[in-house]
């Protein structure tokens, strides 16, 4: 927004003519003064430059000397550390040769202490400490050992300052074998930094000292120097200074070097020459000035006269101004160019003033208000639209509002008032407006946009959007602010509603996953600082599907609403109940002092099931199963807490439902310890891409040709061996790693498909998709990008989902399946017959094929099993779905299924699942 808003008219105040000049023209006098000032400035500049040059040269030499001295200290210190490290390693070698650490525990350390005492004259270290692999101190020798063992330095620390003896030590670390019972420990040697050590680091010319911020610890000589680096001091007849050599990674002490102080440079010869040069320059300028300066002054005076002529009247006198400017344009030089520019500027100003009048006339047709405030918040001017907006203000401030409105003038005019703008604002927004004024007055911001409320007569306030810029006077000084106000009440209410919808569940009004995760992460951060607990409960209703099937989905929805209200009534203000999806809820209990507090809240929530819920004047007894985890007792991040709460909930269901289970209780009882170990190995396997993709062919039931394959995840662990997918796939979902696993298997399948396609085998690729993978927001987009990258058409990719996944959240699942179908991917219902889908639901889904579960195929040779398989095949044919039979293990079964109308067969009769190399060989043999 420009600083020149159309709401303010140009000033009508006529220009004041200047008095005629007599004697020497003002410009000539000014020019003379400027020449004198220029000469004085040159003198000062020469003096300053010579002085600065001398000091700069001295500082450069001093910096070079400081750098060289510091480098000497660091080099010698590094050499000393290498010698100390070699000495430490020699000591360890001697201890190993003496086999002291192989002695029994009862005599080992006494033998080592005796050996160190015997070798005391040959060892420069004054203290030795030994720690076990866990970092615990198990041996101390030396006068610093007791103090140091109580505050053992960090692993990365190379220095130690004794608070008892005020002595600086270098830390030398090496490892030591502590025997079969102790493992490999660490030996810490302390090398004291004393007078003799500092003599090796410093030199006679540059003595060195070790010191803290307040104490001198040791020195290479006996002189006491200041502890503040850069301080100059005198010893005898010599001037000295101290520089600091910091110790890397250690701020408790430092080294100080004593160096000679530089002497100042004598400046009189340089200053004498500079003064002579300035005097010669002054004489030259005086000789060159004369008629040229006088003529130049007269032409510049005509420019001033033309400017005054242009501003004498309300309507600029352009002809008179042009006549004066013609004299200034007699010569083609800078003054003539300035006259041309001034004439163009006058034309532009005249046109701009005419445009301003037109803008002000147009502005009165708009609903926006243009307003000007001074730095005290008083309204200086406002467009006539302010009348309508100020009429909305509450009657408690109607007096100033009406006063301002009464001063509204006709269009093209403005309002002048001393009423404060703060009177019209909501009290909570008045301080915000004051901050805007202060920010613009202090030049911190050049443009500010904010939203504020006007105190309204109606139940709701009027929201206005304000855009403000600085209002400056002719000197550029900020004298106020100018801005535009626009009524955005409806927009604000719509944005508020959209934000609420994005973060809350549409049915229950509870927070959704996005808002829950945000609050949970914030609660964990607060608990980490305050050392409090955070409870996380995952629960769902028992047998909720039966309620939906019996009473209908609307009754089920009302039940979810009533249950959520009942739970919320028993929560604190800071607790959060969120709907996770379907009949699943998550309860966040932050800021709990102890785990027992969490247990009491959970028990209070569980009591809800003891009383029936009333829905449509009917009472229903509803139960739920709940799993509970506690931060930081069970996990230190949100994903792990959710996963463990989910596991605890499933364990609660396994105990008979209508109960709650704490994850900590499961661990204490030894429940799931093997699962926890497997999960740890599994997480590492997924991270290291150790899960393999194996392939099992899909065969045409009529011709026996290979139509495609199904990708199956297989895991072989070095310790556990082959782990069944039935065991590790649910763990992957609970760990929240199903996306990573799914992407690994999908990527391996698409990569193999590209290889087969290059060799002439255009095979269909079937991959399994889990519930959490299917419901990920970017699943379809990621799948499309992967298929394009590997050059596999979506029509050649079949996504297999189970009945239970497809019907878990019917509305969302339908939307996602339609999305995949539109992208060209094929959808298959896996393990068909084991879920609860109805014929109408299956008919409405964008499904291309069903896979008959292996349990039905195995019973096909019984009369009842045969009738079930026939019914499934006939139903699939009736709704025009292809039928795939898995688990075909012999030729008789394959022939029966082909005669019944199954399109595709899969099973051990044709081939077992195999890695890509074996599948390549099988494919070549089968093709031949």
């Amino acid at each position: 927004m420009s600083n020149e808003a159309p709401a303010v008219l140009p000033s009508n105040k006529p220009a004041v003519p200047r008095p005629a000049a007599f004697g020497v023209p003002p410009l000539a006098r000014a020019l003379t003064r400027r020449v004198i000032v220029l000469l004085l400035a040159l003198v000062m500049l020469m003096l300053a430059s010579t002085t600065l040059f001398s000091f700069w040269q001295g500082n450069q030499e001093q910096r070079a000397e400081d750098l060289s001295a510091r480098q000497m200290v660091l080099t010698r210190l590094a050499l000393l550390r290498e010698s100390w490290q070699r000495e430490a390693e020699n000591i360890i070698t001697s201890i190993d040769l003496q086999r002291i650490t192989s002695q029994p525990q009862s005599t080992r350390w006494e033998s080592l202490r005796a050996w160190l005492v015997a070798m005391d004259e040959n060892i420069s270290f004054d203290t030795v400490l030994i720690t076990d692999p866990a970092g615990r101190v198990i041996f101390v020798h030396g006068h610093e050992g007791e103090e140091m063992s109580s505050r053992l330095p960090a692993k990365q620390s190379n220095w130690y300052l004794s608070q008892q003896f005020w002595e600086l030590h270098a830390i030398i670390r090496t490892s030591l074998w502590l025997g079969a019972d102790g493992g490999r420990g660490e030996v810490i040697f302390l090398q004291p930094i004393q007078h003799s050590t500092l003599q090796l680091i410093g030199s006679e010319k540059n003595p060195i000292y070790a010191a803290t911020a307040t104490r001198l610890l040791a020195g290479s000589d006996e002189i006491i120097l200041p502890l503040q680096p850069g301080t100059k001091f005198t010893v005898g007849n010599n001037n000295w200074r101290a520089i600091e050599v910091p110790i890397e990674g250690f701020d408790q002490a430092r080294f100080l070097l004593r160096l000679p102080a530089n002497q100042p440079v004598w400046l009189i010869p340089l200053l004498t020459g500079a003064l002579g040069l300035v005097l010669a320059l002054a004489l030259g300028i005086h000789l060159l000035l004369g008629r040229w300066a006088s003529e130049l002054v007269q032409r510049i005076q005509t420019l001033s006269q033309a400017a005054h002529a242009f501003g004498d009247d309300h309507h600029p006198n352009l002809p008179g101004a042009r006549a004066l400017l013609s004299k200034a344009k007699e010569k083609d030089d800078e003054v003539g160019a300035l006259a041309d520019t001034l004439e163009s500027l006058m034309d532009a100003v005249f046109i701009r003033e005419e445009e301003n009048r037109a803008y002000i006339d147009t502005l009165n047709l708009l609903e926006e208000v243009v307003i000007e405030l001074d730095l005290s918040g008083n309204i200086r001017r406002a467009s006539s639209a302010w009348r309508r907006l100020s009429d909305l203000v509450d009657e408690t401030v109607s007096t100033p509002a009406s006063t301002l409105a009464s001063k509204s003038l006709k269009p093209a005019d403005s309002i002048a008032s001393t009423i404060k703008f703060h009177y019209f604002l909501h009290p909570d927004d008045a301080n915000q407006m004051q901050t805007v004024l202060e920010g613009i007055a202090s030049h911190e911001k050049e443009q500010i946009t904010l939203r504020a409320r006007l105190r309204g007569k109606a139940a709701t306030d009027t929201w206005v959007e304000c855009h403000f810029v600085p209002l400056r006077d002719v000197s550029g000084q900020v004298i106020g602010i100018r801005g535009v106000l626009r009524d955005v009440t409806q927009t604000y209410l719509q944005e508020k509603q959209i934000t609420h919808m994005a973060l809350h569940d549409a049915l229950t009004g509870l927070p959704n996953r996005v808002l829950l995760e945000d609050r949970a992460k914030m609660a964990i951060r607060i608990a980490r600082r305050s050392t409090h607990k955070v409870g996380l409960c995952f629960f769902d209703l028992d047998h909720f599907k039966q309620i939906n099937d019996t009473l209908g989905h609307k009754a089920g929805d009302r039940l979810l609403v009533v249950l959520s209200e009942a739970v919320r009534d028993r929560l604190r203000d800071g607790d959060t109940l969120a709907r996770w999806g379907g009949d699943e809820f998550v309860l966040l209990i932050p800021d709990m002092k102890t785990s027992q507090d969490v247990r009491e809240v959970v028990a209070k929530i569980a009591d809800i099931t003891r009383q029936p819920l009333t829905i449509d004047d009917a009472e229903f007894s509803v139960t739920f199963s709940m799993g509970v985890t506690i931060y930081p007792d069970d996990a230190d991040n949100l994903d792990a807490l959710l996963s463990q709460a989910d596991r605890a909930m499933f364990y609660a269901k396994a105990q008979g439902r209508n109960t709650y289970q704490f994850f900590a209780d499961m661990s204490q009882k030894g429940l799931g310890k093997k699962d926890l170990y497997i999960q740890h190995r599994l997480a590492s396997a997924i991270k290291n891409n150790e899960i393999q993709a194996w392939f099992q062919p899909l065969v045409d039931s009529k011709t026996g040709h290979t139509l495609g394959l199904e990708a199956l995840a297989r895991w072989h662990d070095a310790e556990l061996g082959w782990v069944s997918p039935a065991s590790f796939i649910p763990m992957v979902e609970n760990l929240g790693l199903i996306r990573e696993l799914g992407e690994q298997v999908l990527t391996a399948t698409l990569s193999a498909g590209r290889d087969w396609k290059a060799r002439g085998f255009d095979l269909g690729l079937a991959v399994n998709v889990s519930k959490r993978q299917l419901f990920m927001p970017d699943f379809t987009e990621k799948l499309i990008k992967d298929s394009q990258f590997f050059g596999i058409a979506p029509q050649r990719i079949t996504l297999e989902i189970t009945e239970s996944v497809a019907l878990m959240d019917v509305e969302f699942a339908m939307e996602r399946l339609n999305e995949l179908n539109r992208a060209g991917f094929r959808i298959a219902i896996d393990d068909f017959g084991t879920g609860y889908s109805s014929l109408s639901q299956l008919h409405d889904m964008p499904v291309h094929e069903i896979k008959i579960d292996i349990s039905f195929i195995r019973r096909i040779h019984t009369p009842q099993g045969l009738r079930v398989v026939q019914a499934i095949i006939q139903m699939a044919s009736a709704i025009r779905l292809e039928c795939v039979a898995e688990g075909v293990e012999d030729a008789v079964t394959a022939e029966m299924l082909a005669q019944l109308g199954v399109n595709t067969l899969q099973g051990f009769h044709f081939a077992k699942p195999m890695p890509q190399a074996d599948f390549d060989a099988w494919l070549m043999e089968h093709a031949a």
Side-chain angles (χ1 to χ4, degrees):
M1 178 178 177
S2 172
N3 285 355
E4 297 183 14
V8 181
L9 283 171
S11 174
N12 297 332
K13 183 178 179 180
V16 178
R18 296 184 179 180
F22 296 96
V24 180
L27 185 60
R29 294 197 301 269
L31 184 59
T32 303
R33 288 196 299 268
R34 281 162 174 74
V35 170
I36 295 173
V37 171
L38 176 61
L39 293 176
L40 293 176
L42 288 173
V43 172
M44 298 301 295
L45 179 61
M46 295 297 294
L47 293 175
S49 61
T50 53
T51 304
L52 289 176
F53 175 77
S54 63
F55 281 108
W56 175 83
Q57 187 177 18
N59 288 336
Q60 288 296 104
E61 294 174 355
Q62 181 174 306
R63 289 194 187 96
E65 183 181 6
D66 292 352
L67 180 61
S68 176
R70 288 191 179 96
Q71 189 62 40
M72 177 201 72
V73 170
L74 295 177
T75 301
R76 293 184 178 182
L77 186 59
L79 293 175
L80 278 177
R81 288 197 70 92
E82 292 179 2
S83 68
W84 293 336
Q85 188 69 41
R86 288 193 299 272
E87 181 183 354
E89 293 173 355
N90 291 336
I91 293 173
I92 296 303
T93 301
S94 299
I95 293 174
D96 289 339
L97 292 176
Q98 295 289 332
R99 302 184 63 83
I100 296 176
T101 57
S102 300
Q103 296 180 12
Q105 287 281 0
S106 58
T107 61
R108 177 186 303 173
W109 304 124
E110 291 301 325
S111 299
L112 178 57
R113 192 183 311 279
W115 185 84
L116 289 173
V117 171
M119 298 296 294
D120 183 64
E121 294 183 357
N122 299 322
I123 296 176
S124 64
F125 305 112
D126 67 353
T127 302
V128 180
L129 288 88
I130 301 178
T131 63
D132 62 11
R136 296 185 296 268
V137 177
I138 58 176
F139 175 79
V140 176
H141 176 74
H143 69 283
E144 297 288 353
E146 182 177 354
E147 177 186 355
M148 186 176 178
S149 62
S150 63
R151 54 187 189 95
L152 199 63
K155 284 285 186 181
Q156 65 273 17
S157 177
N158 292 325
W159 297 90
Y160 171 73
L161 178 63
S162 170
Q163 302 291 342
Q164 180 179 3
F165 301 101
W166 289 105
E167 191 173 46
L168 180 65
H169 295 79
I171 298 178
I172 306 298
R173 302 174 185 271
T174 185
S175 61
L176 174 65
W177 176 250
L178 302 179
D181 57 342
R184 184 158 294 278
E186 184 181 49
V187 183
I188 301 175
F189 296 94
L190 295 188
Q191 174 65 43
I193 306 301
Q194 299 172 340
H195 172 76
S196 58
T197 309
L198 293 174
Q199 286 183 329
L200 296 175
I201 300 176
S203 65
E204 184 177 356
K205 179 181 178 183
N206 299 328
I208 189 169
Y209 307 83
T212 66
T214 58
R215 183 189 295 265
L216 189 65
L217 303 178
S220 60
D221 60 18
E222 302 300 327
I223 294 178
I224 306 299
L225 78 166
L227 297 178
Q228 182 64 33
T231 304
K232 295 184 179 180
F233 59 97
T234 302
V235 178
N237 296 325
N238 298 321
N239 295 323
W240 302 91
R241 57 190 175 88
I243 67 169
E244 181 181 17
V245 181
I247 301 176
E248 182 179 1
F250 190 74
D251 58 0
Q252 299 182 27
R254 70 273 173 77
F255 293 115
L256 297 175
L257 269 173
R258 178 160 59 89
L259 300 176
N262 294 332
Q263 298 296 327
V265 180
W266 188 250
L267 303 178
I268 291 180
L270 293 175
L271 298 179
T272 303
L275 184 59
L277 179 62
V278 170
L279 292 175
L281 181 61
L283 180 61
I285 293 175
H286 176 72
L287 294 175
L288 290 176
L289 293 177
R291 289 184 57 191
W292 173 82
S294 177
E295 182 183 350
L296 178 63
V297 169
Q298 292 177 1
R299 293 175 62 203
I300 294 177
Q301 279 184 320
T302 61
L303 296 178
S304 175
Q305 294 169 0
H308 282 285
F310 180 75
D312 277 346
D313 301 320
H314 181 66
H315 295 287
N317 184 10
L318 282 179
R322 287 196 176 100
L324 291 170
L325 290 175
S326 63
K327 297 179 181 180
K329 294 192 293 183
E330 291 176 351
K331 291 186 178 181
D332 187 14
D333 56 6
E334 286 79 1
V335 177
L338 179 60
D340 289 334
T341 303
L342 184 58
E343 185 175 5
S344 300
L345 180 61
M346 291 177 180
D347 292 338
V349 170
F350 183 81
I351 296 173
R352 183 62 178 272
E353 288 182 349
E354 294 298 322
E355 290 178 348
N356 281 346
R357 291 186 179 88
Y359 289 156
I360 293 174
D361 292 338
T362 305
L363 187 62
N364 294 300
L365 302 176
L366 303 177
E367 295 184 356
E368 284 82 359
V369 176
V370 177
I371 194 168
E372 287 184 7
L373 310 177
D374 62 21
L375 294 180
S376 297
N378 298 317
I379 301 177
R380 301 179 67 228
R381 297 183 183 87
S383 62
S384 59
W386 174 251
R387 180 190 297 274
R388 179 193 61 81
L389 198 58
S390 62
D391 283 344
L392 300 176
V393 176
D394 189 6
E395 294 178 356
T396 57
V397 291
S398 60
T399 301
S402 60
T403 302
L404 182 62
S406 66
K407 296 183 180 181
S408 297
L409 304 180
K410 295 180 180 180
D413 287 322
S414 60
I415 298 171
S417 174
T418 58
I419 299 175
K420 286 189 175 293
F421 184 62
H422 301 67
Y423 291 155
F424 302 95
L425 293 177
H426 191 281
D428 294 341
D429 296 333
N431 291 335
Q432 185 182 13
M433 189 64 210
Q434 184 62 35
T435 303
V436 170
L437 290 170
E438 294 173 356
I440 291 183
S442 61
H443 303 278
E444 294 180 0
K445 296 183 179 180
E446 287 297 319
Q447 181 172 344
I448 295 179
T449 299
L450 60 94
R451 283 186 178 181
R453 288 162 291 179
L454 299 180
R455 290 186 284 186
K457 296 179 181 180
T460 59
D461 295 320
T462 300
W463 282 86
V464 292
E465 187 174 74
C466 313
H467 300 272
F468 291 112
V469 296
L471 179 64
R472 305 178 187 274
D473 58 13
V474 292
S475 64
Q477 186 70 25
V478 176
I479 60 174
I481 62 173
R482 176 184 295 156
V484 176
L485 311 181
R486 182 166 60 94
D487 187 347
V488 294
T489 304
Q490 293 301 320
T491 302
Y492 169 78
L493 295 177
Q494 292 172 359
E495 291 175 353
K496 185 176 181 181
Q497 182 180 6
I498 291 172
T499 302
H500 184 273
M501 293 173 61
L503 299 176
H504 292 79
D505 176 56
L507 175 62
T508 62
L510 296 175
N512 60 12
R513 297 186 184 186
V514 177
L515 184 54
L516 171 71
E517 291 180 0
D518 182 68
R519 291 184 179 178
K521 291 177 180 178
M522 182 179 298
I524 290 174
R525 286 195 297 269
I526 294 174
R528 187 177 291 117
R529 292 194 296 266
S530 63
T531 66
H532 281 187
K533 310 286 186 181
V534 177
L536 191 73
C537 310
F538 202 110
F539 67 93
D540 67 359
L541 299 184
D542 298 330
H543 309 296
F544 181 68
K545 188 177 186 304
Q546 296 180 3
I547 297 175
N548 274 337
D549 293 342
T550 304
L551 304 177
H553 288 282
K554 290 185 177 180
D557 290 345
R558 288 194 294 273
L559 174 60
L560 295 177
V561 173
V562 172
L563 176 64
S564 64
E565 292 175 350
V567 175
R568 276 190 297 188
D569 290 342
R570 301 200 177 198
L571 299 179
R572 303 172 302 163
D573 292 338
D575 298 338
T576 298
L577 175 65
R579 188 183 181 196
W580 191 254
D583 62 332
E584 296 178 331
F585 295 85
V586 176
L587 175 59
L588 177 67
I589 311 173
D591 196 25
M592 304 302 288
K593 294 183 178 179
T594 64
S595 300
Q596 183 60 34
D597 294 338
V598 179
R599 293 178 179 271
E600 291 176 359
V601 174
V602 171
K604 182 179 178 182
I605 300 301
D607 285 342
I608 294 176
T609 59
R610 298 187 177 184
Q611 298 179 355
L613 300 179
T614 303
I615 303 174
D616 296 338
D617 298 328
E619 292 185 345
F620 294 88
S621 295
V622 179
T623 64
F624 55 76
S625 301
M626 177 186 293
V628 186
T629 54
I630 299 177
Y631 169 90
D633 300 353
D634 300 327
D636 60 356
N637 63 82
L638 178 59
D639 291 338
L641 288 170
L642 286 169
S643 174
Q644 292 171 354
D646 194 19
R647 291 185 57 219
M649 182 190 71
F650 279 108
Y651 180 78
K653 287 183 177 293
Q655 302 307 304
R657 303 178 188 269
N658 190 20
T659 186
Y660 58 88
Q661 176 67 49
F662 280 80
F663 182 81
D665 296 343
M666 294 173 57
S667 301
Q668 292 172 1
K669 296 175 183 177
L671 300 172
K673 286 187 176 180
K674 180 179 179 182
D675 289 347
L676 291 174
Y677 177 72
I678 295 176
Q679 285 183 4
H680 173 73
R681 303 283 301 179
L682 179 58
S684 299
I686 295 175
K687 180 179 179 181
N688 299 326
N689 203 18
E690 296 175 358
I691 305 298
Q692 305 176 29
W694 284 28
F695 308 103
Q696 187 174 28
L698 300 172
V699 178
D700 190 304
S701 63
K702 303 297 183 183
T703 64
H705 293 163
T706 303
L707 301 176
L709 55 94
E710 180 182 2
L712 302 168
R714 293 294 184 265
W715 176 33
H716 183 271
D717 183 77
E719 296 183 11
L720 302 172
W722 288 103
V723 181
S724 170
S727 298
F728 74 79
I729 292 297
M731 293 182 184
V732 173
E733 292 189 344
N734 289 333
L735 288 171
L737 299 175
I738 191 64
R739 177 172 187 170
E740 288 78 1
L741 175 61
E743 288 179 352
Q744 290 180 17
V745 174
L746 178 63
T747 301
T749 304
L750 295 178
S751 176
R754 179 176 59 186
D755 296 341
W756 293 322
K757 185 177 181 181
R759 297 204 301 267
F761 298 102
D762 189 12
L763 302 175
L765 309 176
V767 292
N768 291 279
V769 178
S770 70
K771 170 188 69 174
R772 297 188 180 181
Q773 194 175 4
L774 179 67
F775 288 171
M776 286 179 180
D778 60 344
F779 176 69
T780 304
E781 180 182 358
K782 179 70 168 55
L783 193 59
I784 294 173
K785 290 181 179 179
D786 289 343
S787 64
Q788 292 174 348
F789 177 80
F790 288 100
I792 306 297
Q795 293 78 10
R796 304 298 295 160
I797 301 175
T798 301
L799 306 176
E800 298 186 3
I801 61 174
T802 62
E803 278 184 284
S804 57
V805 170
L807 300 176
M808 185 167 297
D809 191 338
V810 177
E811 182 178 352
F812 184 77
M814 187 73 72
E815 179 181 349
R816 177 53 53 85
L817 294 180
N818 282 320
E819 184 180 276
L820 292 167
N821 182 51
R822 288 192 297 269
F825 297 100
R826 291 172 53 83
I827 309 297
I829 300 297
D830 197 11
D831 300 334
F832 184 79
T834 60
Y836 302 95
S837 60
S838 65
L839 186 60
S840 62
Q841 291 172 329
L842 187 62
H843 186 269
D844 293 337
M845 290 184 180
V847 177
H848 300 85
E849 66 181 46
I850 60 174
K851 296 189 71 173
I852 306 175
D853 186 68
I854 189 173
S855 60
F856 298 114
I857 302 300
R858 289 175 177 173
R859 295 196 296 267
I860 194 173
H861 298 289
T862 66
Q864 185 178 4
L866 179 60
R867 286 194 295 271
V868 172
V869 173
Q870 284 177 324
I872 294 175
I873 296 172
Q874 291 172 1
M875 180 196 68
S877 176
I879 57 178
R880 298 181 179 180
L881 296 179
E882 296 183 12
C883 197
V884 180
E886 54 185 359
V888 180
E889 298 182 354
D890 54 66
V892 175
T893 304
E895 181 64 26
M896 288 181 63
L897 291 169
Q899 292 178 0
L900 291 173
V902 173
N903 306 97
T904 307
L905 303 176
Q906 175 185 357
F908 284 7
H909 174 62
F910 304 101
K912 296 181 179 180
M914 49 192 140
Q916 182 178 350
D918 295 345
F919 190 87
D920 290 344
W922 181 91
L923 191 62
M924 296 299 296
E925 178 182 357
H926 191 70

